Amino acid sequence: MSAGAEPLVEVRRLRKVYALSGRLFGRAAGSLTAVHDVSFAIARGATLALVGESGCGKTTTGRAVLRLVEPTTGRIRFDGIDVLALGPAPLRRLRRRMQPVFQDPYSSLNPRMRVGAIIREGLVIHGLAEGAAADARVRELMAEVGLRPEHARLYPHEFSGGQRQRVGIARALAVEPDFIVCDEPVSALDVSVQGQVINLLLDLQRDRGLTYLFIAHDLAVVAQIATHVAVMYLGRIVEHGPAAAVYRDPIMPYTRALLSAVAPPDPTARLQRLALVGDAPSPRAAPRGCSFFARCPHPRKDAECTRTVPALELKAPGHSAACIKEPPRAPVDGLIPPPLIPSVLDGDDIHR
Amino acid sequence: MTEPLLSIRDLRVTFATDGGVARAVDGVSLDLAAGEILGLVGESGCGKSVTAMSVLRLLRPPARIEPGSEIWLDGRDLLALPERAMRSIRGRRIAMVFQEPMTALNPVLTIGHQIAEVVRVHERASRGAARARAVAALEQVGVPDPDLRARQYPHQLSGGTRQRVLLAMALVLHPAVLIADEPTTALDVTVQAELLALLADLQRRLGMAVLLITHDLGVVAELASRVAVMYAGQLVEEAPVQELFARARHPYTQGLLEAAPRLAPRDGPHGSGGRHGGGAGRLRVIPGTVPPATAWPSGCRFHDRCSAAWDRCEREAPPSHAVDASHRARCHLAAEPERRAALPVALTGSVR
């Protein structure tokens, strides 16, 4: 991404706090910060992958960007539009340009509708086509995602998982979006079918200039599609950079552990696992200081890590990490921080 | 191979469905030697789990194990045993761990109680002795504070710990054979890595034979000593793990290996220049999907997805050819090796 290009999507200090109401099994209610001051930007035509283990806040972040959940605070700009300031009607119009594709297309497709009607629905709602023109458009879309015209008459349950995901993608494409949030789009699919769907997403991106936010836990899958990677842990982005840099020279011990945990499909590979102790703490009871401290295998970790939450800092060009024990990899002084990581945040971007 | 511990002979399992008879497992013969980890791989719907369930005789109508099928253990055909005798084999000689640790545990009983129950059902153990065995089993699988954990309920444990509890429950009676059906698929990657290391360690220490069912070739490469590949209800290839990954002979196996996602980010100027991910290079995939079990294709069941197929493949079902003493492949190419020379590079060379 060149420094001057305006990103298509820009998220600043996004926060989502859930109030825990009532008493749950005798435990006093409190609040849970699912997403904690998350900032990132995605250039047009790029793919930012949001990776992390379950509960890290990646899905909530993706849904908040689409305003499928309302963020507690923060700012979201889409093509220069302040998304959180939009009322219901303009938001509905904007939704045409930003579409979701979900993990389980079975539960996100209406089981009582034929897939032709499912794909057609968005066209009609957004007034893009109707009648015979809409039917023709549905056939084009189905061909584009690799479905046959006769599939239009079938119901979702008559498809395999991979074909259902193609239906989900065709539905998203119908309204000609610029941006798609893909939430674990291939994790329910067989390996060979995963590749088919990733190839489809790559082709569509090339042909239509689509921008993706790709949410996934599988780093091997992410490697196939991401241009940039943001690693989340307990609601925060802890490392962020170009995919090649994050994969080849990970800075955060957590990122290194995630990468080392992936077993390569090669029995001669020597595994050098960086073991983590225990499980991720609950976001309900996030520890003080660095939230990764208890599990961190860093040789220089000490009490200093528990005093303050480490900031996400540039450690190499375009590559930032939240670890006070890792010095910069390359001189970054004098570099203009890319819009990915705003160093100076303007005002209080508070929306209620 | 030495005398097998568990021997499956011509296993056939059918399901009566509205769409006709599904031949889910169709003539599988497979040996498991003492002390080995045999990886059973293939896409969903190929018959892996039905094979495993047959060994434990856990299938219920409409599933039917066809006459002529045999499963030998300790000199007895398990399929000919009365249910009463089979009950003493489950858990004591053959145990199983499943993918979903939450549904396999009773939510209203403590985990110590549930493990002790296994002991008491199979052996005349006092309540106290069974309890002690349960705590020891938890300790063996690396659950910290086993005394405390034994008094807790499943919902109080993390996913990784629950999977350890299931492993403890499976191993408490020291079975000779452990069947692990996608044991780590539902877990986060760092937890998955820990579990795999634990499984390998326990297998070595206890000398169990393990039938490891998975779709993940990374898991197979890491743990298995031998691999059997299933497609459309049949075994299509079988070989020691290094041999299979280096010299797969069946085009289906080759396709699976090529489709397995690798950690290396795609080559190219990702994120560093003007080019983005779309079109940076497509993944190799196996075209199409597994056909329904009610209508396996004629001839070789893989022929319609196979880039190496010729007219013979459509006409004639290939037998399982011996490539060498320990390597078998169900492919006409094994009988007509000269055809391999004419194939595209991807199918003839070793896989990356």
Side-chain angles (χ1 to χ4, degrees), chain B residues 10 16 26 30 105 136 148 180 182 205 219 223 261 290 303 311 332:
Chain B
D10 200 25
D26 204 7
L30 192 60
L105 290 169
L148 167 75
E182 302 277 8
R205 272 171 28 210
V219 170
L223 286 192
V290 180
H303 81 257
D311 50 353
H332 289 311

Side-chain angles (χ1 to χ4, degrees), chain B residues 110-138 146-147 150 168-169 172-173:
Chain B
T110 65
I111 60 164
H113 183 104
Q114 294 184 58
I115 301 172
E117 192 64 23
V118 175
V119 179
R120 285 167 57 80
V121 162
H122 286 277
E123 294 173 13
R124 287 181 191 286
S126 71
R127 209 168 274 277
R131 179 80 182 181
R133 292 269 296 277
V135 173
L138 286 172
D147 255 322
M169 197 181 288
V172 68
L173 298 174

Side-chain angles (χ1 to χ4, degrees), chain A residues 128-179:
Chain A
L128 297 170
E130 51 187 53
D135 294 338
R137 187 76 192 107
V138 167
R139 282 194 298 275
E140 277 170 33
L141 286 160
M142 291 182 65
E144 193 171 356
V145 300
L147 293 170
R148 291 198 299 273
E150 62 267 28
H151 286 144
R153 303 176 48 78
L154 302 180
Y155 291 93
H157 76 267
E158 297 178 84
F159 289 88
S160 67
Q163 285 174 316
R164 275 201 292 270
Q165 198 53 286
R166 289 175 194 271
V167 174
I169 292 169
R171 176 181 60 175
L173 288 179
V175 297
E176 291 165 36
D178 307 303
F179 174 56

Side-chain angles (χ1 to χ4, degrees), chain B residues 213-232:
Chain B
I213 297 168
T214 179
H215 68 282
D216 187 332
L217 289 165
V219 170
V220 168
E222 180 174 352
L223 286 192
S225 42
R226 214 154 55 82
V227 189
V229 182
M230 278 190 85
Y231 184 75

